[in-house]
Amino acid sequence: MIGRGAIASYVLDAIGGDAALNVVAQILRPGTREACPPGVDAVIATDDLGSLPVRPDLVVDCAGHDALRLFGAQALSAGIDLVSISVGALAESGLAETLEAAGRAGGGRLRLASGAIGAMDALAAAAVGGLDTVSYTGTKPPGGWRGSPAEEALDLGALTAPAVHFDGTAREAALRYPKNANVAAMIALAGIGMDATRVTLVADPAAKANVHEIEAAGAFGRMRFTVEGQALAGNPRSSALAAMSVVHAIRREAAPIAV
């Protein structure tokens, strides 16, 4: 497990009673190696994936873009499969190519957790027949955009109506909003790519949840899909569904029949 934040804690709690899953180590960024959170004190804490006394079957990234940069290629080149929620990092120039090369050389495979959105299987299937357009609109209460470039475009505390603070491509969104736009990157990778997927980001003072809307059209027909997501308990910046998607991805790896 890479990370020790809210999503990592949720995942550890969720899989703790599963006899088929054994967490052997918690990987922390270099310079931040500290004691593990309560409840996992028997787990090795380290900042070096290569130093583990036991070779893991799976590495799970719950720590964000830096974790995928630091440890992704190392795991894949060692032949270890990797589940990651840091999809937005793949918008960065060269990172996807580096990870692909590491996986081809070592045999490890990168699995991307679906995160705070759903219907990625339908979108990826539709892409087989050809997609003409894919768009994503992400709407959050103003407070959900604090600490992001939205603060440069809008006075978040003074809004009385919905306001757009970003309109561009999925690649631009993922690079400018690394803590908010993993959803945009996931949709782009499942559909028509980072530069063809249109993204609109909205701050709405009337919003009671984080709302994700996908629209797509192509040879399959038309699709519109909406998720109104709640935050993870105890952390308003983390999506509950994103944490759940990581647990689902892990369980798929161990299941004899995977859905």
Side-chain angles (χ1 to χ4, degrees):
M1 178 79 69
I2 305 174
R4 59 188 182 95
I7 290 180
S9 296
Y10 179 94
V11 173
L12 287 168
D13 287 343
I15 67 175
D18 193 329
L21 302 171
N22 179 31
V23 180
V24 297
Q26 196 163 31
I27 311 298
L28 308 177
R29 287 179 298 173
T32 64
R33 181 178 173 181
E34 299 174 23
C36 287
V40 292
D41 54 356
V43 174
I44 297 167
T46 181
D47 57 11
D48 181 11
L49 180 60
S51 70
L52 297 180
V54 178
R55 173 188 167 88
D57 300 303
L58 184 69
V59 172
V60 181
D61 159 33
C62 297
H65 295 190
D66 285 344
L68 191 57
R69 296 186 201 101
L70 287 169
F71 302 111
Q74 185 182 7
L76 299 175
S77 62
I80 304 170
D81 291 345
L82 171 66
V83 168
S84 177
I85 203 167
S86 308
V87 185
L90 298 180
E92 299 174 11
S93 177
L95 182 57
E97 291 78 8
T98 296
L99 294 174
E100 182 176 359
R104 291 188 182 280
R109 296 182 64 198
L110 172 61
R111 273 84 160 178
L112 300 176
S114 56
I117 194 65
M120 292 301 94
D121 53 347
L123 186 61
V128 173
L131 287 164
D132 299 320
T133 60
V134 178
S135 64
Y136 163 66
T137 301
T139 302
K140 296 184 180 184
W145 295 111
R146 295 204 180 277
S148 80
E151 292 185 308
E152 302 169 12
L154 302 172
D155 183 349
L156 295 174
L159 292 179
T160 58
V164 174
H165 54 86
F166 175 84
D167 186 24
T169 69
R171 186 182 304 278
E172 293 166 339
L175 293 175
R176 291 189 62 192
Y177 294 77
K179 295 182 179 180
N180 294 277
N182 278 331
V183 170
M186 188 67 187
I187 293 166
L189 291 172
I192 55 176
M194 294 280 188
D195 300 308
T197 303
R198 300 301 305 177
V199 172
T200 303
L201 302 179
V202 180
D204 184 355
K208 303 301 182 185
N210 296 341
V211 181
H212 308 284
E213 298 176 272
I214 303 171
E215 293 190 48
F220 77 100
R222 302 187 65 86
M223 174 196 307
R224 182 170 185 175
F225 187 83
T226 302
V227 172
E228 295 185 17
Q230 297 299 324
L232 199 59
N235 190 327
R237 295 186 179 275
S238 296
S239 161
L241 185 58
M244 295 169 188
S245 78
V246 177
V247 176
H248 173 63
I250 295 170
R251 288 176 175 167
R252 277 179 57 92
E253 296 299 309
I257 300 177
V259 177

